[in-house]
């Protein structure tokens, strides 16, 4: 069966520091991968999605970037965090096509 | 662009009773999927139920069922025999050319 991992689970970082959040998927190959951000009590905002290695699409211009160095690895990064980057970050995967998205456990990021 | 609307920010239901959460969407596509996700306090997003637009039969998963009205672009979720563990945020989602989430409905279950 497929599983999706995210780490770290919680992160507290100062403004201006770099960020790296990692997401890996097991039990499937060539998945679509997604990064979402969720503000407290709000819906999900799609940040990036990837249909293959090195293929990244950005939905919202921002302080963040994403990379997919391996088939089942998706990384969310920032060179300098802003206060507004605080939130709950969710990684998801789906099979190719209009399939169900399955979510990881998420990372809580607090920028101080 | 596709949009998903959930007009009920908050709902409550008595334990063992039935509750219906509303969702409407706007699209010009004919081939798409619809989903309901549950997000408990742990914030893990959990798939509750899924409906393919080309299927007329409403999807059912145990105590969870949907009322899919394609012409009206409506996709409501019915929870029967509500349990305390059903308390969560519920998100309606559309997947066509893009994956779009609604703003969510917070469901409280009263003992």
């Amino acid at each position: 069966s497929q599983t999706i991992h995210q780490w770290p689970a919680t992160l507290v970082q100062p403004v201006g520091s770099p960020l790296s959040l990692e997401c890996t998927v097991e039990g499937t190959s060539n998945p679509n991968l997604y990064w979402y951000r969720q503000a407290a009590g709000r819906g999900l905002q799609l940040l990036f999605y990837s249909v293959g290695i090195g293929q990244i699409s950005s939905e919202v211009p921002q302080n963040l970037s994403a990379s997919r160095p391996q088939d089942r690895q998706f990384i969310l990064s920032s060179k300098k965090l802003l206060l507004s980057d605080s939130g709950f970050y969710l990684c998801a995967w789906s099979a190719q096509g209009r399939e169900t998205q399955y979510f990881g456990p998420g990372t809580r990021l607090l920028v101080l | 662009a596709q949009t998903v609307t959930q007009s009920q920010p908050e709902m409550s239901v008595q334990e063992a009773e039935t509750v219906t959460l509303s969702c409407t969407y706007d699209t010009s596509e004919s081939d798409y999927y619809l989903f309901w996700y549950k997000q408990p306090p742990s914030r893990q997003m959990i798939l509750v139920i899924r409906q393919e637009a080309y299927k007329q039969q409403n999807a059912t998963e145990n105590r969870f069922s949907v009322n899919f009205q394609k012409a009206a672009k409506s996709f409501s979720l019915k929870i029967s025999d509500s349990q305390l563990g059903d308390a969560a945020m519920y998100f309606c989602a559309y997947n066509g050319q893009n994956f779009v989430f609604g703003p969510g409905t917070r469901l409280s279950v009263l003992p």
Side-chain angles (χ1 to χ4, degrees), chain B residues 5-64:
Chain B
T5 301
Q6 294 178 249
S7 59
Q8 306 152 317
E10 296 184 358
M11 292 280 286
S12 62
V13 61
Q14 289 290 138
E15 196 174 5
E17 296 295 311
T18 295
V19 64
T20 298
L21 307 184
S22 300
C23 173
T24 58
Y25 58 96
D26 186 24
T27 184
S28 58
E29 298 174 319
S30 59
D31 183 20
Y32 51 87
Y33 293 82
L34 296 164
F35 308 87
W36 279 98
Y37 285 89
K38 168 186 177 180
Q39 189 179 39
S42 68
R43 302 190 79 174
Q44 170 86 55
M45 290 287 282
I46 302 165
L47 176 69
V48 175
I49 200 164
R50 149 183 152 149
Q51 174 82 42
E52 292 90 342
Y54 64 86
K55 289 187 177 179
Q56 292 186 341
Q57 186 174 6
N58 289 324
T60 299
E61 287 288 343
N62 300 316
R63 297 183 295 108
F64 298 88

Side-chain angles (χ1 to χ4, degrees), chain B residues 56-82:
Chain B
Q56 292 186 341
Q57 186 174 6
N58 289 324
T60 299
E61 287 288 343
N62 300 316
R63 297 183 295 108
F64 298 88
S65 61
V66 298
N67 183 4
F68 173 47
Q69 301 291 328
K70 190 172 184 179
K73 296 179 183 175
S74 171
F75 183 60
S76 61
L77 175 69
K78 185 172 81 171
I79 306 174
S80 304
D81 185 25
S82 296

